[in-house]
Amino acid sequence: HLHQNWSDFPVEKKENLVVEKLDYNFGKRFSEKNTAITAFDKYIFITNDLDNTIYCIDPEKGEIIWKFTHPKLNKVQSPATAFKNKIILATHSNIFILNSNGKIVLNKEITNGPLYWASPINHQNKLFIPTARYLYFYNGQSINQVNENEFPAAQSQLYISGDSKNIFIVDSLSCCI
């Protein structure tokens, strides 16, 4: 049974987990295609392509805690990801690292950033960030491209997942399932 509107969506509580609709009006309009929402700790992060902004929101209070705006925060095709008390966000032209107050720590210009919803993964104390041709990683100090001798440039968007021992990578044009 598909729920047609939010009033039909059940609120369910299991082991201190509450699923509910957030009904706040922040006076902002969000992009239908390039908006991502993620959660970390007690906050949610909404990345909005329309105003080139990422918002940190306290859902309990319904308040914007901070927002970060940058002209290159566009073509958002990757969710904000928490790693080592930082928020990492990849766009088509940049990888941004923000601290817990929404201040920029690092900004790396890249080419061929994510084109289609590709999520970073945490693997062996590094955050791996897939893009449309290359694989980058953030180790808590710097953002680097994985050496092309180890991982050659891809033909198209990369998608990754992993477990404790392996990273699984799919190049969307050269792989069939």
Side-chain angles (χ1 to χ4, degrees):
H1 166 254
L2 293 174
H3 298 285
Q4 298 302 313
N5 60 51
W6 277 107
S7 61
D8 294 339
F9 198 85
V11 174
E12 184 177 327
K13 185 172 184 171
K14 289 185 179 177
E15 298 179 29
N16 298 324
L17 173 67
V18 177
V19 177
E20 62 182 270
K21 175 189 174 200
L22 297 177
D23 194 21
Y24 305 119
N25 183 354
F26 298 110
K28 300 293 175 194
R29 193 166 161 230
F30 296 111
S31 169
E32 291 180 19
K33 294 182 180 178
N34 297 333
T35 295
I37 182 170
T38 52
F40 175 67
D41 195 21
K42 65 177 188 170
Y43 301 110
I44 59 173
F45 298 90
I46 299 175
T47 307
N48 186 28
D49 209 42
L50 285 180
D51 62 0
N52 304 75
T53 302
I54 180 172
Y55 297 90
C56 174
I57 298 170
D58 182 333
E60 289 182 12
K61 296 179 182 176
E63 296 175 354
I64 296 174
I65 304 301
W66 55 258
K67 66 181 184 175
F68 171 76
T69 302
H70 193 282
K72 298 237 175 166
L73 191 62
N74 60 11
K75 295 185 182 178
V76 175
Q77 294 289 324
S78 179
T81 303
F83 181 73
K84 295 189 177 193
N85 294 316
K86 305 284 189 295
I87 300 298
I88 294 82
L89 182 68
T91 69
H92 188 67
S93 61
N94 293 70
I95 298 174
F96 294 97
I97 311 291
L98 306 176
N99 68 15
S100 60
N101 295 316
K103 304 295 181 209
I104 195 162
V105 175
L106 286 171
N107 175 15
K108 181 168 184 84
E109 290 193 22
I110 60 173
T111 57
N112 299 305
L115 293 176
Y116 307 101
W117 292 99
S119 298
I121 63 163
N122 182 348
H123 181 75
Q124 296 182 352
N125 211 27
K126 293 179 185 172
L127 187 75
F128 286 87
I129 305 160
T131 68
R133 295 207 20 103
Y134 305 105
L135 187 61
Y136 291 87
F137 67 92
Y138 173 62
N139 59 13
Q141 303 295 319
S142 61
I143 303 166
N144 299 292
Q145 180 182 328
V146 172
N147 186 313
E148 287 194 52
N149 292 331
E150 294 175 41
F151 188 82
Q155 294 181 26
S156 63
Q157 179 64 55
L158 296 173
Y159 296 97
I160 61 176
S161 187
D163 59 24
S164 62
K165 296 180 183 177
N166 304 293
I167 294 179
F168 305 101
I169 303 171
V170 174
D171 178 337
S172 60
L173 282 184
S174 63
C175 179
C176 298
I177 295 178

